[in-house]
Structures are given as C-alpha cells and as structure tokens.
Amino acid sequence: MSNSPVSTKALLVGLTGLAIVAVGAVPALANRPQTKTVCTWGGTPAAPSGTFQLNPGLTNTPAAGPLHLVATGDLAGGGPCTGTLTFDGDMKPGSTCAGQEFEGRVRGLPRVVHFWGRGVAGAVHEFMYDPAGNVVGADQPQTSITDYPADVIGCNSPEGLTLMTFSAVVELFASNTGRQ
C-alpha cells in the first residue's frame, strides 16, 4: 500500500463507511430469529447473472438528485427462492461511486416489500422489510466489473456508471410464527 495522502484517505473513508454499516446492522439483527432460509440471487460470484442499472449514472461527483436503480435477477434455492427478485428504488442525493444510500420496493419474495441499504468502497449491505417495517432478511451483493470495465472507469465520465452485473446470497429470517 502506498503512503500517499490519497490512498490513506481512501482507506480511512472505506473503513469508516464499513464501520458505520456494521454499527447500523447490530440493532437490526440483534433480535432476529436464528432460523433462516438462504437463496442465491443473480447467479454466483463465478457466474453473476443479476443486472444492476442506474439512471442517471453514478459518478465520483456527489449526485445532485436521486438516481433511479433497478436490480433484478433469478432466485434459486427452493421454497420461497424461486422466480425473479427485483429491487426498484433510488440512490439518495449525494451518492457517489465511493459511497451510497438507497431504498425502494421489492418484488418477488414472500413477506418482503421494501429494502434499504448502504454501500461504501464496493461493500454493499441491504436489509429487507415486511409491510409492518420489521427486518425479515438481508443480502450482500457482489458486483462484477469484469463484464463492464468501461462503467467502472465511467465513474469519472459525465455519463457515470450505469450498468453492472451482480450475484448475492439472500437470507430470509424466520417469522415469529415459524412460517416463511
């Protein structure tokens, strides 16, 4: 690692962001049931097939307004893990390629209607909520830049990053009644 001020600053920003995400996760996860269902969404890290689209694109300059996002991909794993899962929402104003906050609607999973999450330096964590606002699941998507290297470079372009592939492991927590 270089000792330049830029790389040190980037490391500190990334570590601070990860700490913020982790601290925010503790209260939400503290009371969750231990039984869960695990699904794959958008393929696997070796073969990502989920698509993540942004309009307008994400850049290194803080966004002046919300950025519309759609993440969609096939679910696998049996039970509720069938069909297509779609997150349709917005990144908040101020989002950059280095850090984002986002939320929106969920389609394709029983009991799940809303998502909220943050991303910092490529690490993303999202919570999923039922209609009453209870945390009922979570995922940590892994984006693939190998299919779209121009979009990563696009963070420095006027158009910004608009398309990536991803895969994720989705955890659905058991309900209080023991049903999924």
Side-chain angles (χ1 to χ4, degrees):
M1 172 189 252
S2 161
N3 287 329
S4 76
V6 173
S7 63
T8 302
K9 182 178 178 183
L11 176 63
L12 290 175
V13 167
L15 291 174
T16 301
L18 288 174
I20 290 168
V21 170
V23 168
V26 170
L29 296 176
N31 294 323
R32 73 180 172 108
Q34 296 302 310
T35 306
K36 62 186 172 193
T37 300
V38 178
C39 314
T40 59
W41 177 30
T44 65
S49 61
T51 58
F52 177 80
Q53 298 177 327
L54 278 168
N55 185 20
L58 190 63
T59 68
N60 289 322
T61 302
L67 308 172
H68 183 74
L69 69 89
V70 177
T72 191
D74 291 335
L75 284 168
C81 305
T82 59
T84 301
L85 177 59
T86 302
F87 284 13
D88 187 343
D90 292 303
M91 281 190 181
K92 294 193 177 207
S95 291
T96 67
C97 283
Q100 317 85 35
E101 183 176 346
F102 35 84
E103 67 181 321
R105 296 180 314 271
V106 175
R107 293 186 307 273
L109 274 174
R111 296 179 29 234
V112 180
V113 298
H114 186 82
F115 75 93
W116 174 88
R118 286 193 173 136
V120 177
V124 175
H125 184 86
E126 298 162 331
F127 291 106
M128 294 179 269
Y129 300 86
D130 68 10
N134 300 305
V135 175
V136 294
D139 76 308
Q140 299 80 37
Q142 298 178 335
T143 58
S144 172
I145 59 171
T146 57
D147 293 335
Y148 304 100
D151 277 336
V152 174
I153 297 167
C155 286
N156 292 317
S157 74
E159 298 80 27
L161 186 142
T162 59
L163 177 67
M164 289 190 302
T165 57
F166 74 90
S167 67
V169 173
V170 174
E171 294 180 78
L172 297 174
F173 311 138
S175 69
N176 292 336
T177 63
R179 294 176 294 165
Q180 281 295 329

